[in-house]
Structures are given as C-alpha cells and as structure tokens.
Amino acid sequence: MSSVVRTRYAPSPTGYIHIGNLRSALYEYLIARVNGGKFILRIEDTDQERYIEGAVDVIYRTLKICGMKHDEGPDIGGPYGPYVQSERKNLYLPYAEELVRNGHAYYCFCSKERLESLQNEYKERGEVFRYDRHCLGLSEEEVKRKLEAGEPYVIRQKMPTEGTTTFHDVVYGEITVDNSELEDQILIKSDGYPTYNFANVIDDHLMHITHVVRGCEYLSSTPKYNLLYQAFGWEIPTYVHLPLIVKPDGSKISKRKGDATFEDLLAEGYLVEAIINYLALLGWSPDSNQEIFSLAELEKIFSIERISKSPSVFDMAKLRWFNGEYIRAMSLEDFHKIALPWIKKGLEKDLPTLQIAKMIQPRTEVLSEIPEKLGFFNHLCEYDLELYTHKKMKTNLEISLNSLKAALPVLENLPDWNEKSIYDALTALTEQLQLKSGQMFWPIRIAVSGQLVTPGGAVEIAEVLGKEETIRRINIGIERLSAAV
C-alpha cells in the first residue's frame, strides 16, 4: 500500500448532500491534509435507479464552496482514473470471476420470483432473510450451460460459515463478528454493474486508498470487505468509522423527515465557514477549549485519535451560535455584501443599506431572519402606547410625551442628518432637561419604530429613516400620547 496517506470521498449522485455525508467528506479531507496526503473524489453511480441528473454538479459545487479541494477526480483526472464507477464498469467482472475460480464466489441464477418467495418464507417465520445457497452446488457444466444459454445471473461472495472475522477500527477498536452471521452478498448484479460493497473494495485497492473513512453504520459490512481483501491477497486499509449524527431526541437525521441538507442550510442564511466549523466538532474534539476554527487551522491540528465513538447531537441552536460568531467577526463591508440580498428583500423603499447592515450585524445570527426585522422601516404599524412605559428606562406616558415634544424642534432644526449629529443634539437636550438618557432615547425609539425590540437604537433608526420620515413618526407619537395623557 502507498506510504502516502490517500483518502477518498465517494458520494452517490442522488441529488443532495446530507449533513453526515458532508462531515465524512470533511474528515477525509482533513486526514489527508494533516498528513500531507492526497484527497480523492470518486463518483459512485453504480445504483443507476437512484441517479439524479445534475447531482454530480451539486457535489463539485459543495466541495468548492467548502474549500475542500480534491487532488484527483473526474473533473481534474489523476493517475488512477476514471473516477466515475459507471465508466469503470468493465473492470469489475474479471475480479469477480477470479473469485469464482478461487472458490470465494459463485454464480447465482435464482429468479426474482424464487428470491421473493424465499423472503416471504423467512418473513412468515419471523427470521432475517438469508440466501439459502441454492446455486452454490451447481456443477461447472451446469454453470457453463446456463451462461452459454444467456440466463440472467448474479455473482455472490461465498462467505465462511464457521469461525469469526476480526478487524481493527481506529475509533471503535477491535471488532469480532461470527462468520455464521454473514450473508453471501451479491458482488455483480444482473445488469452487469457491481454492487456498492464490491466496487468499493476494488476501487479503493486500485486507487491505493490507505484510510477508509465512513459512518459507523458500515461497521457490520466491514468483515465482508476484509474477506474480499484477503481473498485477493491485498493489504487491508486503515478503517475510520465515524459516530452517528443524531437529533436532540436521539433519532437519526434524515432528509425524508424534513431535516436540513447542506444546501438547505445555505439557503436559510447559514455561512459555509460556520457549518464546516460546527461539523468538524460533531464527533471530534480539539485538545483545547477553542471552538472557532478556520478550515486552514483544522488542516494543521485534526487528529484521528480524538474522534469520539459516541453519537453526536446536531443542535440547531449551537449552529446558530457559531453562525452569529462568524457574522460578528466579519468586516462591515463583507457583512454588507452577503446581507444585501436579504436586506433588499425586507425593504419596500430605497434606504441606505450600509447603515442598516451596520445596525443589524451585531444582532444577526442567521441571514434569513433579516427581512422580518426590517418591516418597521417600510411602515409604522399601530402599536400599544404602553410600550412607552418602561421601568428600567424610567419612562411613562407623560415623560415620553414631554421628551418627544422637546426633541421635535431640535431634530427639525438639525442642519446635518447623521448618527453623530442626531446623537449629540439629543444628548445635549437630555442634559439640559436633566433627564436620564433612557427617558429621551426610549420614547424616540418607540415613536420611530413602534416596536419593543428593534435591530438598532433610536439614533440609528432615525438616521436610516431620514429626517422627514423621523419627524413624521415623532409627530404621530405626540398626537397619540396627547390624546391618552
């Protein structure tokens, strides 16, 4: 086997990348990079019924935007191509035939009807289906006659029925399985395509893959892989099985159950960097309390030894936290750029988006929530006058009315309309009237927004609204309060 670490990401083009699949890709990428090795992309499309047009492009796009650059693959080539299994179709049968000659596999001509009948028998008895080796006893002459007659067939792996098979996994340690539990799995299907399990072994060997990284649900299949490696006399790779990713209630994440895929998360306004950072920590822990890691940092410190065998809980609240941390760490210009489509979606009029971005950046965790926060910029909705009463700000309806009346002429006569000039003028007025700052700024905030919670304070909102609209809204506040006091 190659002395250079070689890992592979081998997704099936089924339309989307789910979270567990992306984490596998990330760990495979990091294991290669931290060891100065190679990260290979291979497309496993042997299951033609599940193939979805355009899905390969989704795979390319996902790796690209995540920054996981592969060293070999269908789009860039490499010394062990082709890197699409359907394009390698003709090389698998000879290997299966070699196993038949060596007594490790056999032809099976059982019809679909016979197998269904057999499955029903097992089901009625409440047992797990196992192929009954009906075709194992066929003589060479019978096999030859059936092949020459063009009868449909599959090739099955002949499993040992006694003893045990033991393998080592870096995460889970030594695992031993009774050979009596292993079914004679199909290697070559009736359509001539190899099964996922068989193609994996052949391709991993031919591409000199040193580390096979996959979900722990494949632990039970690993003895079958090892028996194939041993039958061919090939060196067995290092196995790295990853813990399950589960929801807080312990159930598995599933697209069918409405759980988000990678593209769903992007569409909701989660940042790629935050998703990758969070996924890295779903099953792996650093040797420090640090939580925020760039991909470049992970490439230097990731270690197989610190992968956990315990299931990892995918917590949307934690992902939100990561996303918020990344958003707050961005420059205003960068945040404005990514937030702009969401800001425009929330506005019905032309307002200064850079000022809005500055206002909402410290208070944003997920980009898709921006539009709903901006509705008050479009219209001043009816609001409860009790909002003017705030215990902490020491305001009530009367104090609020007096503050708005005092602020109105000051703002009307302000020559420059910007955050600093508005703040300075209102602060000077507050000191002149010997008020607490909240007694001035809280009533203005309610008057200009009509909301208890806003993405910015009174001054920031006034700057964005502009002088004319701010004064119009303060006048509305004065009218309503005057009628109530």
Side-chain angles (χ1 to χ4, degrees), residues 16 18 50 247 252-261:
Y16 59 87
H18 62 74
R50 294 179 65 219
K247 292 188 281 191
K252 284 183 68 175
I253 285 182
S254 167
K255 171 69 172 174
R256 287 187 294 275
K257 294 178 182 176
D259 296 316
T261 66

Side-chain angles (χ1 to χ4, degrees), residues 330-343 354 357:
M330 299 176 86
S331 68
L332 175 58
E333 289 72 23
D334 286 343
F335 175 70
H336 179 240
K337 186 176 179 181
I338 64 162
L340 189 57
W342 300 98
I343 293 173
L354 186 63

Side-chain angles (χ1 to χ4, degrees), residues 78-93:
Y80 305 108
Y83 293 88
V84 177
Q85 280 187 338
S86 59
E87 295 174 14
R88 301 167 65 84
K89 179 184 173 183
N90 295 332
L91 66 82
Y92 301 109
L93 183 59

Side-chain angles (χ1 to χ4, degrees), residues 68-86:
M68 293 188 279
K69 190 176 187 306
H70 50 285
D71 301 294
E72 300 168 26
D75 53 338
I76 56 176
Y80 305 108
Y83 293 88
V84 177
Q85 280 187 338
S86 59

